Amino acid sequence: MPLPTVILPGYLAGAIDYQQMQHTLAEMGVPTVTVPLRKRDWFPTLGGRSVLPILERLDQTVQQVRQQHGTEQINLVGHSAGGWIARIYLGENLYDVHGMIDGSSKGVPGAKQVYAWNAHHYVAHLVTLGTPQTSYERWTLKNLNFVNLSYPGAFYADVHYLCVAGKAVFGARQRGSWLAYSSYQLTGGRGDCWGDGITPIAAAHLEGAENITLDHVWHSPRSPGRWYGTPEVVHQWAKPLINS
């Protein structure tokens, strides 16, 4: 039987947006749980602040799933920002780029464990969907710089990284493509390229990972076309989860 899978929603998204993705994976024989987030759970992270509240909810869900299924490992699927947050979760470096640990606790034995999950031991496959692995957005730089300096590329050899990009919109300074152009430029530094309408292909891929690009796939469930959670699209990227 495949390992259980945990889905981490994207920025400002709730678990309800991933019901179809979760249901499709379950129909494929993959027991799946979505981190039970609501949109308001993201509010403390606005403006580039610490994503610690999301990491804590992710860890709670992963540990519950491991206990429920009696398994050492799980698979992790991160959509959009959920993908790079998952990369923080895998790591053992202290995540305190926002100074949330006061000086009195930094030398206390065990304090680091609260802010460094070292969870790559728990994760067999990490799948990122439309994740901006890099970005020029000033409000994401502190977090993403931490990720990419601490864990560059497909950092952990014991984890299989699959990074999925969508190719739906070519960014251009014209009606219908302006939002994509602006988002691609903010994320990757160039607007005139292909992407899923939010994340350009180049930014969604990661050095050393298995990188794939899916045609006509948009970024979010509110997009005008198929997105990463559409059943037929899930079947295109979920094979590693079935074979785990």
Side-chain angles (χ1 to χ4, degrees):
M1 184 175 180
L3 290 173
T5 288
V6 174
I7 299 171
L8 180 58
Y11 193 59
L12 291 178
I16 192 170
D17 297 316
Y18 298 84
Q19 285 183 338
Q20 187 179 56
M21 182 189 294
Q22 179 176 318
H23 180 68
T24 301
L25 287 170
E27 286 188 328
M28 296 168 68
V30 180
T32 306
V33 172
T34 303
V35 179
L37 295 171
R38 296 162 295 181
K39 182 176 181 178
R40 67 187 185 192
D41 293 324
W42 292 90
F43 291 172
T45 75
L46 292 175
R49 287 179 284 181
S50 174
V51 294
L52 180 61
I54 307 302
L55 285 160
E56 289 175 336
R57 296 292 295 278
L58 170 60
D59 187 58
Q60 290 168 5
T61 305
V62 168
Q63 301 312 328
Q64 288 169 1
V65 169
R66 290 178 64 229
Q67 183 176 18
Q68 178 184 349
H69 290 270
T71 180
E72 178 67 21
Q73 289 191 305
I74 55 96
N75 293 320
L76 189 52
V77 175
H79 173 236
S80 195
W84 60 257
I85 293 172
R87 290 170 61 200
I88 297 177
Y89 180 65
L90 296 184
E92 72 267 24
N93 291 344
L94 185 68
Y95 174 67
D96 191 32
V97 294
H98 299 78
M100 294 185 69
I101 305 178
D102 62 33
S104 62
S105 65
K106 289 188 177 180
V108 176
K112 182 176 180 179
Q113 296 175 8
V114 179
Y115 291 86
W117 289 264
N118 202 16
H120 64 97
H121 301 296
Y122 308 142
V123 179
H125 299 272
L126 171 62
V127 181
T128 65
L129 307 172
T131 293
Q133 311 287 3
T134 59
S135 178
Y136 291 93
E137 294 176 302
R138 61 181 178 82
W139 51 88
T140 62
L141 279 178
K142 185 172 284 190
N143 282 312
L144 271 173
N145 283 347
F146 171 81
V147 175
N148 290 314
L149 290 173
S150 300
Y151 318 111
F155 188 76
Y156 288 104
D158 54 344
V159 178
H160 171 245
Y161 292 72
L162 172 62
C163 300
V164 185
K167 184 180 180 181
V169 186
F170 187 85
R173 293 179 175 178
Q174 62 186 37
R175 187 175 180 180
S177 302
W178 182 257
L179 175 61
Y181 181 92
S182 300
S183 183
Y184 298 166
Q185 189 172 48
L186 277 171
T187 303
R190 176 181 172 185
D192 56 339
C193 58
W194 283 98
D196 61 14
I198 298 296
T199 304
I201 292 171
H205 287 166
L206 196 60
E207 184 176 357
E210 178 184 356
N211 295 306
I212 63 173
T213 301
L214 303 179
D215 288 332
H216 311 297
V217 172
W218 293 72
H219 186 78
S220 79
R222 294 173 179 79
S223 300
R226 303 183 311 160
W227 78 292
Y228 300 102
T230 301
E232 63 201 71
V233 178
V234 173
H235 280 267
Q236 293 182 64
W237 57 255
K239 291 180 182 177
L241 308 184
I242 300 172
N243 298 325
S244 63

